[in-house]
Amino acid sequence: MHLYYLREAWRSFRHHQGLAWTAMISLTATLLLCGIFLLLTHNAQSAVRFIGDRREMVVYLRDEIAPEQRDALIARLNELYGSTTFVSREQAWEEFSQQIGDPQLLQAVDQNPLPASLRVRLRPELLNYPAMEQAAKQVSQFPEVEDVRYGGEWVRRLDELQATLARGSLVVGIAVALAILLVIYNTIRLTVMARRREVEIMIRLGASDRFIATPFALEALGQTLVSALAALALLFTLEQFAVQQVVHATFLPPVWIAAFLGGAVLLAWAAAALALARTLRSAGP
Amino acid sequence: MITFEHVSRRYRERLALDAVSWHMDEGECVVFAGPSGAGKTTLLRLITHELAPSSGTVTVGTFRGARLPRAKRALLRRTLGIIYEDFRLLNDRTVFENVALAVRITGHFADAEVVPRTLYALEEVGLQQKQAAYPSELSAGEKQRAAIARAIVNRPAVVLADEPTGALEPASAKEILALLRRIHEEGAALLVVTTRPEVGAELGGRVLRLQDGRIAADEAPARSPYAQPAFGVTPPAATPDPGA
């Protein structure tokens, strides 16, 4: 029986190729648009994550604190905020020298003005502007601490960028979902109308809705799957031959590809179920 | 088997059936004869629940009610074998596929069982040689045979035929009537609606004459002109039966 449904779906596709190809081209275009946005989002998220991983809080220590006090503070910060590394005044100067690179400029500074500091790589749940701000306030209250820096402004901008990307993904996702629903819904309606006589005869012979609807639904799912694969192939080509020429970008990871294909098929199934429930009720006696 | 109790059906102002009551037993052959507009097709569509009665009750087997739910309507139709004047074959499928469709629709048979059942039905109507042909390649008589094969392939308890010879020339019409009679003799109840008064006599069934939506006469079965019809063989030309 399953083979029968597949054969019927294929028969319907062959008999209404014009309609099927129109639907598949529309779906491919819609899904490609979605894929482009997913690719942008994925690469932007990777970049943001890379920058985010480098977010850290720098705690400048008072000159007069004893090593025991410093070690106690490190232990406390490790426990409360994340992995803490001590940077002595000498290490800080060495790093600074390497960054500046110009010996003449360094000679102009007669003595090391840099304080010792602690670098705190914050725990993931603290990698956002409000949490970092609060952590910085709390750490600055410790008596051993001179000052705390965490690049508040760019952390806030990074968070805003992430939120904008998330909102954009949602809007594009909804738009694409609606487009898929509309294309599948209307294609199925037109296919059922084109095969109205056949559907009527089946209804008169006592066919159940499931018997009539299954080949239509399979056809719609097949068209959507092929369209989604075509959109992915086009997206890959675009990424390899156009985007890579301008910036370094990575293609969608397997989980995203699976979600893209699964989402498209799921939407197609929902659209097919909606269209068939409505169309079959008005199709026959 | 089939019972109408004071069944009326109205199309806006026009009364197609007017408080009609009748009953048909299992294995019986009933012919509804009457002119166009008498209410014959309406009566058939009430049996198949394509229409709901305006008043009264239609009972078909265990199905009883004014308007059955969609799933039950489908179930009811699967217990009937229906033959239409215009055949209603699917033009993009072969004769075999058209008949096999009715088997698949029941949902009771695996793919392996569909083929022998279909071939048996085609053999019964003498169309096994044309099983690969498309409806457009068949004569009108052959199309009706294919439609009959589709109607009987699931061994329904009752076969309904709506003007089964209406689109056929006389020789084919006689073959089809002989075939229907044979099916009835094998045990199926047969209900035929027709404008041709001689069909009742040719089938040897009880004739109910419909006139303006009412049953004008209920005539006992007439003797068939075919004493022992040979299956798949063209029956001899019928001699008009003065008693019919």
Side-chain angles (χ1 to χ4, degrees):
Chain A
M1 191 55 97
H2 297 98
L3 263 178
Y4 165 78
Y5 288 136
L6 286 174
R7 276 202 305 268
E8 285 301 301
W10 177 242
R11 183 204 298 272
S12 172
F13 176 80
R14 279 192 297 122
H15 282 211
H16 305 99
Q17 283 196 31
L19 195 60
W21 282 112
T22 308
M24 282 167 67
I25 290 167
S26 311
L27 283 172
T28 304
T30 309
L31 289 165
L32 179 63
L33 202 70
C34 176
I36 289 171
F37 201 84
L38 282 178
L39 194 67
L40 282 176
T41 307
H42 166 64
N43 280 286
Q45 277 191 358
S46 297
V48 165
R49 204 177 303 117
F50 177 70
I51 297 166
D53 284 348
R54 299 177 68 188
R55 285 186 220 181
E56 58 183 18
M57 189 163 66
V58 181
V59 180
Y60 293 103
L61 303 174
R62 292 184 190 281
D63 289 339
E64 63 274 18
I65 67 163
E68 300 78 38
Q69 285 178 295
R70 183 191 68 207
D71 291 345
L73 181 64
I74 289 172
R76 194 105 193 263
L77 294 179
N78 264 327
E79 184 190 336
L80 293 172
Y81 302 106
S83 165
T84 306
T85 317
F86 172 64
V87 180
S88 67
R89 294 185 68 217
E90 293 72 30
Q91 281 173 315
W93 176 254
E94 200 178 317
E95 279 179 17
F96 178 71
S97 305
Q98 279 172 2
Q99 281 170 6
I100 298 297
D102 185 351
Q104 284 184 335
L105 203 63
L106 292 168
Q107 276 172 3
V109 186
D110 57 348
Q111 60 172 4
N112 179 5
L114 301 174
S117 63
L118 298 176
R119 284 182 190 156
V120 186
R121 289 184 69 82
L122 293 162
R123 292 206 300 262
E125 63 267 29
L126 299 175
L127 290 175
N128 59 75
Y129 178 67
M132 282 183 89
E133 190 186 29
Q134 198 184 2
K137 267 186 188 165
Q138 288 169 351
V139 173
S140 63
Q141 303 298 312
F142 291 117
E144 301 88 349
V145 174
E146 175 77 41
D147 193 13
V148 179
R149 298 280 169 86
Y150 64 98
E153 185 55 26
W154 71 263
V155 166
R156 194 176 57 77
R157 285 187 181 174
L158 212 57
D159 284 352
E160 280 177 2
L161 178 65
Q162 275 184 317
T164 307
L165 276 176
R167 277 197 297 273
S169 301
L170 191 69
V171 169
V172 171
I174 290 170
V176 167
L178 282 175
I180 291 174
L181 282 171
L182 276 175
V183 170
I184 296 284
Y185 185 92
N186 285 314
T187 305
I188 285 193
R189 274 193 59 219
L190 289 173
T191 311
V192 173
M193 280 165 76
R195 293 172 59 191
R196 197 181 180 90
R197 183 177 174 274
E198 183 181 333
V199 169
E200 273 180 15
I201 289 172
M202 286 191 190
I203 291 172
R204 283 175 202 277
L205 293 177
S208 64
D209 283 351
R210 182 172 157 266
F211 182 88
I212 299 169
T214 303
F216 288 110
L218 284 177
E219 188 187 350
L221 294 185
Q223 285 173 6
T224 308
L225 192 61
V226 170
S227 304
L229 288 170
L232 277 176
L234 285 172
L235 189 68
F236 184 73
T237 311
L238 192 74
E239 189 257 346
Q240 289 292 306
F241 297 102
V243 181
Q244 291 284 19
Q245 308 299 320
V246 186
V247 291
H248 173 73
T250 54
F251 195 62
L252 299 175
V255 176
W256 285 48
I257 292 173
F260 178 78
L261 293 174
V265 170
L266 206 67
L267 278 168
W269 180 83
L274 263 174
L276 287 164
R278 287 199 63 182
T279 319
L280 288 184
R281 277 179 200 287
S282 59
Chain B
M1 164 125 278
I2 300 177
T3 307
F4 273 46
E5 296 166 80
H6 308 291
V7 174
S8 297
R9 171 67 200 193
R10 184 179 286 281
Y11 297 102
R12 296 188 181 172
E13 296 305 310
R14 194 174 79 80
L15 193 60
L17 276 184
D18 185 6
V20 169
S21 294
W22 61 279
H23 173 77
M24 176 184 180
D25 281 322
E26 279 182 33
E28 198 179 352
C29 175
V30 173
V31 177
F32 277 90
S36 295
K40 303 182 302 296
T41 301
T42 296
L43 181 134
L44 215 54
R45 294 180 73 191
L46 285 165
I47 295 172
T48 60
H49 274 257
E50 289 176 35
L51 291 175
S54 306
S55 64
T57 309
V58 176
T59 307
V60 182
T62 56
F63 298 91
R64 181 183 167 89
R67 185 67 173 160
L68 295 174
R70 194 174 167 79
K72 276 205 169 177
R73 287 208 297 275
L75 203 60
L76 161 70
R77 288 170 194 167
R78 272 178 255 160
T79 67
L80 306 170
I82 309 169
I83 300 160
Y84 296 97
E85 180 181 7
D86 58 357
F87 324 121
R88 303 215 179 163
L89 297 170
L90 300 175
N91 295 325
D92 61 342
R93 286 161 214 239
T94 62
V95 168
F96 180 90
E97 287 169 333
N98 266 284
V99 179
L101 179 69
V103 185
R104 293 186 195 283
I105 278 174
T106 63
H108 295 150
F109 304 102
D111 281 347
E113 293 171 274
V114 172
V115 175
R117 288 183 78 90
T118 306
L119 289 176
Y120 185 74
L122 287 171
E123 198 182 331
E124 276 196 282
V125 300
L127 265 189
Q128 64 272 44
Q129 302 300 322
K130 298 269 186 171
Q131 60 172 290
Y134 286 89
S136 59
E137 298 163 349
L138 302 177
S139 69
E142 287 169 332
K143 283 180 191 171
Q144 195 57 294
R145 281 174 183 272
I148 292 172
R150 185 180 64 186
I152 62 169
V153 70
N154 293 317
R155 304 277 144 202
V158 57
V159 174
L160 310 175
D162 184 4
E163 203 72 73
T165 57
L168 307 180
E169 40 87 25
S172 293
K174 286 194 184 304
E175 282 181 21
I176 293 300
L177 290 176
L179 186 55
L180 288 174
R181 183 176 171 80
R182 171 66 183 269
I183 290 163
H184 167 55
E185 285 173 351
E186 284 179 355
L190 180 65
L191 191 151
V192 178
V193 302
T194 180
T195 51
R196 295 175 54 198
E198 70 275 18
V199 167
E202 289 181 30
L203 286 173
R206 174 180 155 209
V207 178
L208 295 166
R209 299 203 181 274
L210 268 179
Q211 187 74 44
D212 299 327
R214 289 170 170 273
I215 295 175
D218 186 346
E219 299 163 7
R223 190 179 168 276
S224 165
Y226 317 123
Q228 288 292 324
F231 203 60
V233 175
T234 307
T239 312
D241 185 348

